[in-house]
Amino acid sequence: MNDFQARIGVGQPSRAFLARQGTSRRRPVVVEEGRRAGKVGGFHTDHWDGRVDATVLAPAVNVTTTTQEA
Amino acid sequence: MAFPSSGLFVPTFVDVLDTTQLALDLDLETHRVALFTNSVTGADLTTDTAYGVGAWASNEVANGSGYTTGGAALTGTTWQHVSGGTVRFDATDSSWTTASFTARGCLIYADALAGNNAICAITFGADYTATSGTFSVVWNASGIFTVDFVP
């Protein structure tokens, strides 16, 4: 990517619609590894004023037990 | 170098149940949740013992920009028998305001214990970055962790 492309935001999410005050957009974050890979694990929220919120939807750890026959 | 898979810290729960009788009270409001980057190196939940020790002594999110090293207090904690043989550890969702940082996972540890014993690690599965915004961790509807004691 050259300097011009970087400056105009090539490869970055479009922010054109965020020019209106008070608007925001939610971008899903896809899990990259493990059994949940490929699923949405949370999201980023882009606000019109440049703020970005990050929201993690944390997975639970489930410990289970089993019985072993003799 | 990567944040490990989610799980409970084996040495801590061994110490709770053996002659060490580690006084881990999951209902306490003094546990903390610390955020780490994906640069955590060599973490192993089967041998790691505590916050600030080994792999958990570095690569925490840097102090400042909305984050204080040591993490945030984990409030609203509950350790309850919910149904059948299942017991659930849960808490109020955690958040950091005016945050400008990236995190890959978190470590929950017992700040009230002298050893800062590690309780569990949760991977986020991807990097999350807040910019002058709010970084939130919404705990699962099933809780932070559950144990089913009755197969």
Side-chain angles (χ1 to χ4, degrees):
Chain A
M1 183 183 303
N2 62 38
D3 290 345
F4 176 73
Q5 289 172 319
R7 194 150 29 92
I8 65 173
V10 170
Q12 298 299 314
S14 170
R15 293 175 182 269
F17 72 99
L18 291 175
R20 184 175 165 193
Q21 186 169 341
T23 57
S24 62
R25 182 182 61 176
R26 183 177 286 192
R27 289 180 285 120
V29 178
V30 176
V31 176
E32 299 170 354
E33 59 198 10
R35 284 178 293 180
R36 296 189 305 139
K39 296 181 178 177
V40 173
F43 47 87
H44 286 119
T45 305
D46 300 314
H47 297 284
W48 65 279
D49 56 0
R51 289 179 297 115
V52 180
D53 297 334
T55 304
V56 179
L57 304 177
V61 175
N62 296 318
V63 180
T64 58
T65 52
T66 59
T67 54
Q68 177 67 53
E69 300 302 327
Chain B
M1 115 179 142
F3 197 91
S5 299
S6 301
L8 307 184
F9 284 81
V10 174
T12 296
F13 287 88
V14 167
D15 285 351
V16 166
L17 295 170
D18 73 4
T19 54
T20 307
Q21 292 288 287
L22 181 69
L24 177 64
D25 180 349
L26 291 175
D27 271 332
L28 280 180
E29 297 291 296
T30 53
H31 303 312
R32 301 189 77 82
V33 52
L35 299 175
F36 286 79
T37 71
N38 202 32
S39 295
V40 170
T41 303
D44 184 347
L45 276 59
T46 66
T47 57
D48 293 346
T49 58
Y51 167 80
V53 176
W56 306 101
S58 56
N59 297 305
E60 183 176 1
V61 169
N63 198 56
S65 300
Y67 184 80
T68 302
T69 48
L74 189 66
T75 59
T77 51
T78 57
W79 173 242
Q80 290 182 317
H81 180 198
V82 288
S83 66
T86 302
V87 182
R88 174 190 297 159
F89 177 59
D90 205 357
T92 303
D93 296 340
S94 301
S95 64
W96 293 259
T97 57
T98 58
S100 292
F101 56 76
T102 297
R104 183 72 172 214
C106 65
L107 169 71
I108 295 174
Y109 67 98
D111 190 48
L113 296 177
N116 286 334
N117 302 72
I119 299 171
C120 67
I122 305 285
T123 177
F124 301 156
D127 283 343
Y128 285 78
T129 302
T131 305
S132 302
T134 300
F135 192 106
S136 304
V137 178
V138 178
W139 302 116
N140 194 281
S142 297
I144 297 173
F145 69 80
T146 63
V147 181
D148 185 354
F149 288 94
V150 183

